[in-house]
Amino acid sequence: SDVYKRQYQRRVRGSNNMSMKLLVLAVICTLALGHNFTTCGDDKLGITSVDVNPDAPIPGQNLTVTLTGTPTQDIVTGDTLTITVKLFGVALGHVDFDSCKDLGVTCPVKAGTPGVALSAVYKIPSAAPSGTPITAEFTAKTSAAAQYSCVDVPVVMGKPGSAEPLVLPFIN
């Protein structure tokens, strides 16, 4: 009876240990896959992955989005990256970033450079509603305003913040 009890306990401990290993593996695989995204036009930034941190943006806190890829054209001084926030396809506002000053890259970045990571940081307004699905559209443009890349990143807002009014810059 004691022999069977010990064998059973070893099996249970082994299965719990295996369950934990599988859980850790699943979390690592999820993190490695990155965030869903779709192209919405040309993608000369050659985006291969998108990281959204935190994955559910929290009102009142910074959101960091990192686009990683191998550009098929040079990124040069004067290029911009614009984030347009859309709710049900309607643009609510946008924020412009200087590609060479605000995104953590040193310009020029030559076409074909692998693993170029552009990181944009944006403070989410405190009154952004929780549970709301939004689309963050990232468009890259030259200094002459010619768009050369477009990526849509769907996100769902996290827990609500304070009652500060939601203020987004309007599109000109």
Side-chain angles (χ1 to χ4, degrees), residues 90-157:
V90 177
L92 299 178
H94 71 271
V95 180
D96 296 318
F97 295 90
D98 182 304
S99 296
C100 298
K101 294 179 183 174
D102 302 329
L103 302 177
V105 296
T106 302
C107 291
V109 177
K110 293 293 182 189
T113 304
V116 174
L118 304 169
S119 292
V121 179
Y122 175 70
K123 184 172 181 179
I124 302 295
S126 294
S130 66
T132 303
I134 62 170
T135 299
E137 182 178 272
F138 294 81
T139 52
K141 295 180 182 177
T142 66
S143 60
Q147 182 174 307
Y148 63 88
S149 204
C150 183
V151 176
D152 281 337
V153 180
V155 294
V156 176
M157 294 303 298

Side-chain angles (χ1 to χ4, degrees), residues 21-107:
K21 287 178 183 176
L22 289 174
L23 176 63
V24 169
L25 181 62
V27 168
I28 289 170
C29 288
T30 301
L31 292 173
L33 291 175
H35 196 84
N36 292 334
F37 69 95
T38 57
T39 57
C40 45
D42 286 337
D43 180 22
K44 292 183 180 173
L45 286 177
I47 303 302
T48 55
S49 70
V50 174
D51 180 53
V52 177
N53 187 15
D55 194 19
I58 299 170
Q61 294 186 10
N62 284 342
L63 170 68
T64 302
V65 179
T66 303
L67 309 172
T68 304
T70 303
T72 59
Q73 81 172 46
D74 293 351
I75 300 172
V76 298
T77 301
D79 286 5
T80 59
L81 182 74
T82 299
I83 303 174
T84 303
V85 177
K86 295 182 177 183
L87 179 64
F88 304 116
V90 177
L92 299 178
H94 71 271
V95 180
D96 296 318
F97 295 90
D98 182 304
S99 296
C100 298
K101 294 179 183 174
D102 302 329
L103 302 177
V105 296
T106 302
C107 291

